[in-house]
Amino acid sequence: MTSGTLTTRLNVDLGTRAYNIEIGTGLIAAAGAKVRDLLPTPRVFVITDTNVADHWLEKLTTSLDDNAIRFAVKVLAPGEQTKSMAQVEELTHWLLDQGVDRKSTLIALGGGVIGDLTGFVAAITLRGIPFIQIPTTLLAQVDSSVGGKTGIDTRHGKNLVGAFHQPLLVLADTGALDTLHRRQLLAGYAEVVKYGLINDPEFFEWCEVNGQAVIDGDPASRRRAVEVSCRAKAAIVANDERETGDRALLNLGHTFGHAIEAEAGFGDQLLHGEAVAIGSLCAFELSRRLELCTGQDVERVRAHMTAVGLPTGLDGIAGPGWTADVIHGHMARDKKTEDGRMTFILARGIGKSFISRDVAMDTLNDLLSDILPK
Amino acid sequence: MTSGTLTTRLNVDLGTRAYNIEIGTGLIAAAGAKVRDLLPTPRVFVITDTNVADHWLEKLTTSLDDNAIRFAVKVLAPGEQTKSMAQVEELTHWLLDQGVDRKSTLIALGGGVIGDLTGFVAAITLRGIPFIQIPTTLLAQVDSSVGGKTGIDTRHGKNLVGAFHQPLLVLADTGALDTLHRRQLLAGYAEVVKYGLINDPEFFEWCEVNGQAVIDGDPASRRRAVEVSCRAKAAIVANDERETGDRALLNLGHTFGHAIEAEAGFGDQLLHGEAVAIGSLCAFELSRRLELCTGQDVERVRAHMTAVGLPTGLDGIAGPGWTADVIHGHMARDKKTEDGRMTFILARGIGKSFISRDVAMDTLNDLLSDILPK
């Protein structure tokens, strides 16, 4: 390309459902040309939210126009409350009103909410139609847009209704990160750190050195953070698409995180990535109390979260009922709970995480009591 | 078994998603023992409707109790209006309230509505949990319970939202057919005849001879009708699980049938199987007008439908707007329409059906005008 843009291409190796992830700048403006040959027919439905539409929608639709791809656009309200069954019903009706058919393709232009919702709508409309992810937040680029998990929330918690449905293509335009609020960027960065904590101690070291540059906007650092994260996730997903085994490692920090989010109300009060930061630290602290890792490991995780400005506890986060019992109750309803036994991702050190269903409830409840706001 | 019951077992060969269909009498009362070893954990949620519950629920729950399988039951209103997004949302909330987990299994006890709805809820709850089909109508036994198509209706038409989700097991208890109204039984029989019309001319001949016995309740004839139908469907589904090719043959009579149903209102006015009977005849009549089959073929189909008491036209069926344009519009919204081209299952004779996307619209519209109520 004349712009001299560097694009990295990764493949998620899922047999007949394999797809590419492209990472670089200028990808939204080039989307029409990138998707044209992948579409079963040149007709797409773009789903986005008002925040993202302001910055990126015109670039996308211009590139679709330039490539003779017919499109219709639905702009939704931003925020987690959009991931609802009511919204799914409204979107499916809109698509059917427009004459969607099995060769039509949905495009999710936005963060995790838009991606999860659009993917789920694609999974169930006409029993499944293709979709493309164009993630515009760091969180979506490094986590939710890759791997085919789609879904919506219910009053019981996040992502409790959904489907596995792999995209045709993921276009992660790191230029989109320039329009994010710093707090959103930081929240996404918690998922980047997670890949180091799971199984890549060198990447955690890289984060300790370069994390601030990722957050401050250095293009090369951002590209590397997204690339390493996507590569790590793609490898895990390719081995275990439907989470019958190691894919659960990706939930490091999420059993605690989802429970904390459920209580805080899935809103601006506490962003998902912030909950994951707190949850990851809880997972390490629980591992320490179970004598699996050292206090130094825990302090290193805490120090990095603090250094970049991520929260490390519940202080200052209003929740209607912060009690150990309430958090425990949310955790027990996690999707990974089986026969009443909760699943935890624990760690024997940084980059040495594993799946455990044998956590003593006393130890857990003591920890939950200790993390409550003082 | 001491009762000396004969049970036929068929396998739907779908690799890791393969499952058995058992056909015979006494299967509902034996369900607990049949399912026990298949369940990931001995906990099930039974979904049924008031009509079926009156006759069969206690037999099922007794057998679950006898096999130490924990269960909860949801009894819904009967009828197509139950296949709605609102009902899906209510059921998922009920399951989550009860603490459903990924090892829990749903059991659909009922006809096509209960099976399609329950299967779809199983497909999307926690991104997919197991389910078992216990079909209690002839239609569900020979068609909807086999093959993994699940879904609900929208105001645009039937089954426009759904998922492919294969059951763990299908138990087709032909004894359940004894409690059906004759009209329901007849409607299901239209789907039995369909298998002869698709690719089994000898089975159509068998139907001409034995159809009345199937409807009148002869146990051996019923078992054979269900067995041949399930075997035919299982073979087609095993070759083309997600309907990218020959599976569409199973829709013989359905492009017309769904359009007619959409206009009649998906209620008691016109049952699905009745619409399929009319639609199958339309498909043969269209084939004749396209000079693919003979007038004798059409008359043989019409004569058999008439002989058993199935409707062969729209006379006497109230629809708010029976016009050729309106029916055409419903057909154009069929899931199999691609790039605006409708898919038809046509026939070069009885048992010689094939898929066509090249039907001249003039010929279609003339036919639609001719079938309107006089």
Side-chain angles (χ1 to χ4, degrees), chain A residues 41 85 88-89 92-93 96-97 101-103 120 123-127 149-150 154-156 159-164 242-243 335-339, chain B residues 41 85 88-89 92-93 96-97 101-103 120 123-127 149-150 154-156 159-164 242-243 335-339:
Chain A
T41 202
M85 191 66 97
V88 168
E89 186 166 20
T92 52
H93 283 177
L96 291 165
D97 283 341
D101 73 31
R102 284 179 174 171
K103 290 186 167 180
F120 183 53
I124 66 172
T125 298
L126 308 179
R127 293 201 190 94
K149 280 193 182 178
T150 72
T154 78
R155 62 169 184 255
H156 305 82
N159 301 321
L160 292 175
V161 168
F164 287 91
R242 295 185 74 99
E243 195 169 306
K335 279 193 298 304
K336 294 174 293 299
T337 295
E338 289 180 354
D339 301 336
Chain B
T41 202
M85 191 67 96
V88 168
E89 186 165 19
T92 53
H93 284 178
L96 291 163
D97 283 342
D101 73 31
R102 286 178 172 172
K103 290 186 167 180
F120 183 53
I124 66 172
T125 298
L126 309 179
R127 294 202 189 93
K149 280 194 181 179
T150 72
T154 79
R155 61 169 184 256
H156 305 81
N159 301 321
L160 293 175
V161 167
F164 287 91
R242 296 185 74 100
E243 196 168 306
K335 279 195 297 305
K336 293 173 294 300
T337 295
E338 289 182 353
D339 301 337

Side-chain angles (χ1 to χ4, degrees), chain A residues 182 186 189-190 193 207-208 210-213 215-216 302-311:
Chain A
R182 186 181 175 84
L186 260 176
Y189 180 73
V193 174
C207 285
E208 290 178 311
N210 300 284
Q212 200 59 52
I215 291 155
D216 290 345
R302 191 193 313 273
H304 183 51
M305 300 293 190
T306 304
V308 295
L310 278 165

Side-chain angles (χ1 to χ4, degrees), chain B residues 67-132:
Chain B
N67 286 277
I69 297 166
R70 282 172 64 205
F71 62 88
V73 178
K74 191 81 170 175
V75 182
L76 306 178
E80 191 74 30
Q81 74 286 351
T82 294
K83 273 176 69 173
S84 68
M85 191 67 96
Q87 189 65 71
V88 168
E89 186 165 19
E90 196 182 314
L91 282 172
T92 53
H93 284 178
W94 173 68
L95 291 167
L96 291 163
D97 283 342
Q98 306 263 329
V100 64
D101 73 31
R102 286 178 172 172
K103 290 186 167 180
S104 309
T105 299
L106 305 193
I107 294 182
L109 175 70
V113 166
I114 291 295
D116 287 359
L117 173 70
T118 303
F120 183 53
V121 169
I124 66 172
T125 298
L126 309 179
R127 294 202 189 93
I129 62 174
F131 85 114
I132 287 168

Side-chain angles (χ1 to χ4, degrees), chain A residues 133-216:
Chain A
Q133 292 270 22
I134 305 186
T136 58
T137 65
L138 183 56
L139 184 110
Q141 292 185 357
V142 301
D143 183 30
S144 58
S145 70
V146 176
K149 280 193 182 178
T150 72
I152 56 171
D153 307 331
T154 78
R155 62 169 184 255
H156 305 82
K158 290 185 61 164
N159 301 321
L160 292 175
V161 168
F164 287 91
H165 190 53
Q166 301 294 341
L168 276 185
L169 175 70
V170 180
L171 293 177
D173 187 335
T174 52
L177 306 181
D178 294 338
T179 54
L180 289 185
H181 294 296
R182 186 181 175 84
R183 187 178 165 205
Q184 259 191 304
L185 199 65
L186 260 176
Y189 180 73
E191 298 274 6
V192 173
V193 174
K194 185 188 75 174
Y195 294 104
L197 297 177
I198 290 174
N199 61 4
D200 191 345
E202 278 121 52
F203 184 59
F204 183 77
E205 278 174 39
W206 182 90
C207 285
E208 290 178 311
V209 175
N210 300 284
Q212 200 59 52
V214 173
I215 291 155
D216 290 345

Side-chain angles (χ1 to χ4, degrees), chain A residues 28 49-59 176 178-180:
Chain A
I28 294 175
D49 70 28
T50 49
N51 290 344
V52 177
D54 287 347
H55 294 292
W56 300 106
L57 183 57
E58 202 185 324
K59 283 194 176 59
D178 294 338
T179 54
L180 289 185

Side-chain angles (χ1 to χ4, degrees), chain B residues 48-353:
Chain B
T48 188
D49 71 28
T50 49
N51 289 345
V52 177
D54 286 347
H55 294 292
W56 301 104
L57 183 58
E58 201 185 324
K59 284 194 175 60
L60 174 61
T61 56
T62 300
S63 95
L64 294 172
D65 256 338
D66 289 348
N67 286 277
I69 297 166
R70 282 172 64 205
F71 62 88
V73 178
K74 191 81 170 175
V75 182
L76 306 178
E80 191 74 30
Q81 74 286 351
T82 294
K83 273 176 69 173
S84 68
M85 191 67 96
Q87 189 65 71
V88 168
E89 186 165 19
E90 196 182 314
L91 282 172
T92 53
H93 284 178
W94 173 68
L95 291 167
L96 291 163
D97 283 342
Q98 306 263 329
V100 64
D101 73 31
R102 286 178 172 172
K103 290 186 167 180
S104 309
T105 299
L106 305 193
I107 294 182
L109 175 70
V113 166
I114 291 295
D116 287 359
L117 173 70
T118 303
F120 183 53
V121 169
I124 66 172
T125 298
L126 309 179
R127 294 202 189 93
I129 62 174
F131 85 114
I132 287 168
Q133 292 269 22
I134 306 185
T136 58
T137 65
L138 182 57
L139 183 108
Q141 292 185 357
V142 300
D143 182 31
S144 58
S145 70
V146 175
K149 280 194 181 179
T150 72
I152 55 171
D153 306 332
T154 79
R155 61 169 184 256
H156 305 81
K158 289 185 62 163
N159 301 321
L160 293 175
V161 167
F164 287 91
H165 190 53
Q166 302 293 342
L168 276 185
L169 176 70
V170 180
L171 293 177
D173 187 336
T174 50
L177 306 182
D178 295 336
T179 55
L180 290 186
H181 295 295
R182 186 179 174 87
R183 186 178 166 206
Q184 260 192 305
L185 198 65
L186 259 177
Y189 180 74
E191 298 275 5
V192 173
V193 174
K194 185 187 75 174
Y195 294 103
L197 297 178
I198 291 173
N199 61 6
D200 192 345
E202 279 118 51
F203 184 58
F204 183 77
E205 278 173 40
W206 182 89
C207 285
E208 289 178 311
V209 175
N210 300 283
Q212 199 59 53
V214 172
I215 292 156
D216 290 344
D218 174 57
S221 303
R222 283 190 172 172
R223 177 203 299 274
R224 175 148 170 82
V226 174
E227 187 184 327
V228 173
S229 300
C230 286
R231 197 182 297 277
K233 180 154 187 181
I236 290 175
V237 168
N239 277 325
D240 180 22
E241 183 179 3
R242 296 185 74 100
E243 196 168 306
T244 54
D246 277 356
R247 181 166 180 163
L249 291 174
L250 294 171
N251 289 299
L252 176 67
H254 283 64
T255 307
F256 288 98
H258 281 161
I260 296 168
E261 274 186 285
E263 196 54 26
F266 299 120
D268 281 349
Q269 178 66 24
L270 181 72
L271 301 180
H272 173 65
E274 292 170 344
V276 169
I278 298 168
S280 297
L281 193 58
C282 286
F284 269 77
E285 175 60 19
L286 180 60
S287 301
R288 184 191 67 76
R289 294 184 183 201
L290 295 167
E291 301 185 345
L292 293 161
C293 73
T294 66
Q296 281 174 311
D297 292 325
V298 180
E299 288 317 309
R300 217 176 131 196
V301 177
R302 191 194 312 273
H304 183 52
M305 301 294 189
T306 305
V308 294
L310 277 165
T312 56
L314 297 176
D315 283 336
I317 298 164
W322 287 129
T323 72
D325 277 357
V326 162
I327 301 175
H328 188 118
H330 287 301
M331 294 176 85
R333 279 195 291 275
D334 188 272
K335 279 195 297 305
K336 293 173 294 300
T337 295
E338 289 182 353
D339 301 337
R341 289 162 74 211
M342 294 184 223
T343 304
F344 289 87
I345 313 305
L346 300 176
R348 296 195 178 85
I350 285 168
K352 296 179 184 169
S353 69

Side-chain angles (χ1 to χ4, degrees), chain A residues 15-170:
Chain A
T16 56
R17 292 181 305 286
Y19 57 94
N20 288 329
I21 305 168
E22 297 197 30
I23 302 161
T25 52
L27 290 172
I28 294 175
K34 297 260 176 207
V35 307
R36 191 180 44 201
D37 294 342
L38 282 175
L39 301 177
T41 202
R43 181 159 196 217
V44 301
F45 295 89
V46 178
I47 298 172
T48 187
D49 70 28
T50 49
N51 290 344
V52 177
D54 287 347
H55 294 292
W56 300 106
L57 183 57
E58 202 185 324
K59 283 194 176 59
L60 174 60
T61 55
T62 300
S63 94
L64 294 172
D65 257 337
D66 289 348
N67 286 277
I69 297 165
R70 281 171 66 205
F71 62 87
V73 178
K74 191 80 170 178
V75 182
L76 306 177
E80 191 75 30
Q81 73 286 351
T82 295
K83 273 176 68 173
S84 68
M85 191 66 97
Q87 189 65 70
V88 168
E89 186 166 20
E90 195 183 315
L91 283 172
T92 52
H93 283 177
W94 173 68
L95 292 167
L96 291 165
D97 283 341
Q98 306 263 328
V100 65
D101 73 31
R102 284 179 174 171
K103 290 186 167 180
S104 309
T105 299
L106 304 193
I107 294 183
L109 174 70
V113 167
I114 291 295
D116 287 0
L117 172 69
T118 303
F120 183 53
V121 169
I124 66 172
T125 298
L126 308 179
R127 293 201 190 94
I129 63 174
F131 85 114
I132 287 168
Q133 292 270 22
I134 305 186
T136 58
T137 65
L138 183 56
L139 184 110
Q141 292 185 357
V142 301
D143 183 30
S144 58
S145 70
V146 176
K149 280 193 182 178
T150 72
I152 56 171
D153 307 331
T154 78
R155 62 169 184 255
H156 305 82
K158 290 185 61 164
N159 301 321
L160 292 175
V161 168
F164 287 91
H165 190 53
Q166 301 294 341
L168 276 185
L169 175 70
V170 180

